[in-house]
Amino acid sequence: MADVIDIAGIPVTLRRSARARRMTLRIARIGGEVTLTLPGRIARREAEAFARGNADWIARQVAAVPAPRGVAVGGTIPLGGRDVPVIAGTGRAARWTGAAIAVPDDRHAARRVRLLVRELARSHLVAAVSEHAGALGKVPGRITLRDTRSRWGSCSGRGDLMFSWRLAMAPPAILDYVAAHEVAHLVHMDHSPRFWACVAGLMHDYAPRRAWLRREGAALHAVRFDRT
């Protein structure tokens, strides 16, 4: 059973790690769960004192975590950087009308909307990757989509690219930045100054787009497609 302490009404899970050299607090971007990692030698009362000393910071961070947001007919969902309505539609699949997402109003509505978001993400990402790779004279490998939590994209040593399909919910400029970022890894498989210079060559104003993801990305992960 996990060791949990209460800090001003907020549960904090204590996790001991032989590799930890100091106490560290982590707030999950999804759900806002609080974890305090401890070196093995730290006593529980010392950990609790540390957490209480950071109670105000914990409360602020937890309050800033976006609340889970369900997907259902009659609600809205972020798409392309703006909230669009989800309306009742006919047929067996969700459909983008240009102004709304139309989907059959049944227990599978959220799943059908998720599939549509994935399709839109693939279409936009394939186009963006093609443009940026062409500018560098590179040919990317396979493009796959996943629902990743820790990263928005990645590039393998073979040149295969992976992206989060949730990028379809972000503004188009943000999706375009992630595509450029991962394509630049086809040239430099690191985050060296040469890599960032390559990104800048593809997109001179990448910095505010990168900052947007850090600031607003958690809201995209807060959208839940496992319920109607």
Side-chain angles (χ1 to χ4, degrees), residues 177-194:
Y177 158 67
V178 178
H181 181 115
E182 299 310 330
V183 166
H185 280 309
L186 297 174
V187 181
H188 302 289
M189 284 297 293
D190 53 28
H191 288 98
S192 65
R194 292 185 306 165

mmCIF file of all heavy atoms in Angstrom, residues 177-194:
data_model
loop_
_atom_site.group_PDB
_atom_site.id
_atom_site.type_symbol
_atom_site.label_atom_id
_atom_site.label_comp_id
_atom_site.label_asym_id
_atom_site.label_seq_id
_atom_site.Cartn_x
_atom_site.Cartn_y
_atom_site.Cartn_z
ATOM 1 N N TYR A 177 5.119 23.255 -35.753
ATOM 2 C CA TYR A 177 6.396 23.327 -35.034
ATOM 3 C C TYR A 177 6.887 21.942 -34.631
ATOM 4 O O TYR A 177 8.073 21.610 -34.808
ATOM 5 C CB TYR A 177 6.270 24.199 -33.781
ATOM 6 C CG TYR A 177 7.336 23.873 -32.765
ATOM 7 C CD1 TYR A 177 8.681 24.145 -33.033
ATOM 8 C CD2 TYR A 177 7.025 23.220 -31.575
ATOM 9 C CE1 TYR A 177 9.676 23.792 -32.128
ATOM 10 C CE2 TYR A 177 8.008 22.867 -30.672
ATOM 11 C CZ TYR A 177 9.334 23.144 -30.958
ATOM 12 O OH TYR A 177 10.319 22.773 -30.062
ATOM 13 N N VAL A 178 6.001 21.111 -34.096
ATOM 14 C CA VAL A 178 6.428 19.774 -33.671
ATOM 15 C C VAL A 178 6.904 18.966 -34.874
ATOM 16 O O VAL A 178 7.900 18.233 -34.795
ATOM 17 C CB VAL A 178 5.300 19.045 -32.921
ATOM 18 C CG1 VAL A 178 5.746 17.638 -32.529
ATOM 19 C CG2 VAL A 178 4.896 19.819 -31.674
ATOM 20 N N ALA A 179 6.225 19.110 -36.005
ATOM 21 C CA ALA A 179 6.664 18.420 -37.219
ATOM 22 C C ALA A 179 8.064 18.889 -37.620
ATOM 23 O O ALA A 179 8.937 18.078 -37.941
ATOM 24 C CB ALA A 179 5.674 18.665 -38.352
ATOM 25 N N ALA A 180 8.293 20.205 -37.591
ATOM 26 C CA ALA A 180 9.612 20.744 -37.946
ATOM 27 C C ALA A 180 10.677 20.267 -36.964
ATOM 28 O O ALA A 180 11.804 19.925 -37.354
ATOM 29 C CB ALA A 180 9.555 22.267 -37.971
ATOM 30 N N HIS A 181 10.332 20.230 -35.686
ATOM 31 C CA HIS A 181 11.268 19.793 -34.646
ATOM 32 C C HIS A 181 11.739 18.363 -34.910
ATOM 33 O O HIS A 181 12.948 18.079 -34.898
ATOM 34 C CB HIS A 181 10.574 19.892 -33.286
ATOM 35 C CG HIS A 181 11.434 19.501 -32.128
ATOM 36 N ND1 HIS A 181 11.812 20.390 -31.146
ATOM 37 C CD2 HIS A 181 11.988 18.314 -31.771
ATOM 38 C CE1 HIS A 181 12.552 19.770 -30.249
ATOM 39 N NE2 HIS A 181 12.675 18.495 -30.603
ATOM 40 N N GLU A 182 10.787 17.472 -35.167
ATOM 41 C CA GLU A 182 11.162 16.071 -35.365
ATOM 42 C C GLU A 182 11.869 15.862 -36.704
ATOM 43 O O GLU A 182 12.793 15.044 -36.801
ATOM 44 C CB GLU A 182 9.941 15.176 -35.254
ATOM 45 C CG GLU A 182 9.251 15.230 -33.901
ATOM 46 C CD GLU A 182 10.205 15.043 -32.731
ATOM 47 O OE1 GLU A 182 11.231 14.348 -32.874
ATOM 48 O OE2 GLU A 182 9.921 15.608 -31.658
ATOM 49 N N VAL A 183 11.491 16.596 -37.725
ATOM 50 C CA VAL A 183 12.194 16.493 -39.012
ATOM 51 C C VAL A 183 13.638 16.964 -38.868
ATOM 52 O O VAL A 183 14.551 16.387 -39.480
ATOM 53 C CB VAL A 183 11.445 17.305 -40.090
ATOM 54 C CG1 VAL A 183 12.320 17.497 -41.323
ATOM 55 C CG2 VAL A 183 10.157 16.594 -40.492
ATOM 56 N N ALA A 184 13.872 17.982 -38.048
ATOM 57 C CA ALA A 184 15.241 18.458 -37.834
ATOM 58 C C ALA A 184 16.113 17.376 -37.218
ATOM 59 O O ALA A 184 17.337 17.356 -37.411
ATOM 60 C CB ALA A 184 15.234 19.707 -36.941
ATOM 61 N N HIS A 185 15.487 16.422 -36.501
ATOM 62 C CA HIS A 185 16.258 15.312 -35.946
ATOM 63 C C HIS A 185 16.743 14.350 -37.037
ATOM 64 O O HIS A 185 17.617 13.516 -36.773
ATOM 65 C CB HIS A 185 15.417 14.540 -34.925
ATOM 66 C CG HIS A 185 15.364 15.186 -33.575
ATOM 67 N ND1 HIS A 185 16.497 15.579 -32.888
ATOM 68 C CD2 HIS A 185 14.300 15.513 -32.772
ATOM 69 C CE1 HIS A 185 16.152 16.105 -31.719
ATOM 70 N NE2 HIS A 185 14.827 16.086 -31.630
ATOM 71 N N LEU A 186 16.203 14.445 -38.217
ATOM 72 C CA LEU A 186 16.730 13.642 -39.321
ATOM 73 C C LEU A 186 18.136 14.098 -39.704
ATOM 74 O O LEU A 186 18.884 13.359 -40.338
ATOM 75 C CB LEU A 186 15.811 13.750 -40.546
ATOM 76 C CG LEU A 186 14.381 13.214 -40.374
ATOM 77 C CD1 LEU A 186 13.550 13.511 -41.617
ATOM 78 C CD2 LEU A 186 14.402 11.714 -40.102
ATOM 79 N N VAL A 187 18.469 15.321 -39.297
ATOM 80 C CA VAL A 187 19.803 15.877 -39.559
ATOM 81 C C VAL A 187 20.686 15.800 -38.318
ATOM 82 O O VAL A 187 21.855 15.426 -38.384
ATOM 83 C CB VAL A 187 19.693 17.341 -40.034
ATOM 84 C CG1 VAL A 187 21.080 17.916 -40.333
ATOM 85 C CG2 VAL A 187 18.794 17.454 -41.263
ATOM 86 N N HIS A 188 20.113 16.138 -37.168
ATOM 87 C CA HIS A 188 20.864 16.138 -35.906
ATOM 88 C C HIS A 188 20.055 15.375 -34.859
ATOM 89 O O HIS A 188 18.995 15.835 -34.436
ATOM 90 C CB HIS A 188 21.119 17.565 -35.418
ATOM 91 C CG HIS A 188 21.861 18.421 -36.400
ATOM 92 N ND1 HIS A 188 23.198 18.234 -36.687
ATOM 93 C CD2 HIS A 188 21.434 19.456 -37.174
ATOM 94 C CE1 HIS A 188 23.574 19.128 -37.586
ATOM 95 N NE2 HIS A 188 22.527 19.872 -37.907
ATOM 96 N N MET A 189 20.578 14.247 -34.420
ATOM 97 C CA MET A 189 19.865 13.411 -33.442
ATOM 98 C C MET A 189 20.175 13.838 -32.002
ATOM 99 O O MET A 189 20.431 13.005 -31.130
ATOM 100 C CB MET A 189 20.226 11.942 -33.650
ATOM 101 C CG MET A 189 19.548 11.315 -34.844
ATOM 102 S SD MET A 189 17.736 11.272 -34.678
ATOM 103 C CE MET A 189 17.556 10.115 -33.318
ATOM 104 N N ASP A 190 20.169 15.115 -31.762
ATOM 105 C CA ASP A 190 20.425 15.636 -30.422
ATOM 106 C C ASP A 190 19.712 16.974 -30.298
ATOM 107 O O ASP A 190 18.934 17.346 -31.179
ATOM 108 C CB ASP A 190 21.932 15.789 -30.165
ATOM 109 C CG ASP A 190 22.624 16.618 -31.264
ATOM 110 O OD1 ASP A 190 21.966 17.492 -31.884
ATOM 111 O OD2 ASP A 190 23.826 16.404 -31.499
ATOM 112 N N HIS A 191 19.969 17.699 -29.212
ATOM 113 C CA HIS A 191 19.420 19.041 -29.047
ATOM 114 C C HIS A 191 20.567 20.039 -28.901
ATOM 115 O O HIS A 191 20.530 20.935 -28.063
ATOM 116 C CB HIS A 191 18.479 19.100 -27.846
ATOM 117 C CG HIS A 191 17.170 18.393 -28.081
ATOM 118 N ND1 HIS A 191 16.918 17.107 -27.658
ATOM 119 C CD2 HIS A 191 16.051 18.790 -28.733
ATOM 120 C CE1 HIS A 191 15.701 16.746 -28.022
ATOM 121 N NE2 HIS A 191 15.150 17.742 -28.681
ATOM 122 N N SER A 192 21.545 19.869 -29.738
ATOM 123 C CA SER A 192 22.711 20.743 -29.753
ATOM 124 C C SER A 192 22.360 22.085 -30.400
ATOM 125 O O SER A 192 21.290 22.240 -31.018
ATOM 126 C CB SER A 192 23.834 20.081 -30.552
ATOM 127 O OG SER A 192 23.443 19.945 -31.919
ATOM 128 N N PRO A 193 23.245 23.076 -30.295
ATOM 129 C CA PRO A 193 23.012 24.351 -30.998
ATOM 130 C C PRO A 193 22.807 24.155 -32.493
ATOM 131 O O PRO A 193 22.016 24.877 -33.108
ATOM 132 C CB PRO A 193 24.288 25.147 -30.695
ATOM 133 C CG PRO A 193 24.734 24.637 -29.360
ATOM 134 C CD PRO A 193 24.427 23.162 -29.401
ATOM 135 N N ARG A 194 23.477 23.169 -33.078
ATOM 136 C CA ARG A 194 23.286 22.916 -34.512
ATOM 137 C C ARG A 194 21.866 22.450 -34.800
ATOM 138 O O ARG A 194 21.278 22.801 -35.825
ATOM 139 C CB ARG A 194 24.287 21.870 -34.998
ATOM 140 C CG ARG A 194 25.738 22.326 -35.009
ATOM 141 C CD ARG A 194 26.628 21.274 -35.627
ATOM 142 N NE ARG A 194 26.450 19.973 -34.972
ATOM 143 C CZ ARG A 194 26.880 18.825 -35.474
ATOM 144 N NH1 ARG A 194 27.507 18.799 -36.645
ATOM 145 N NH2 ARG A 194 26.702 17.692 -34.817
#
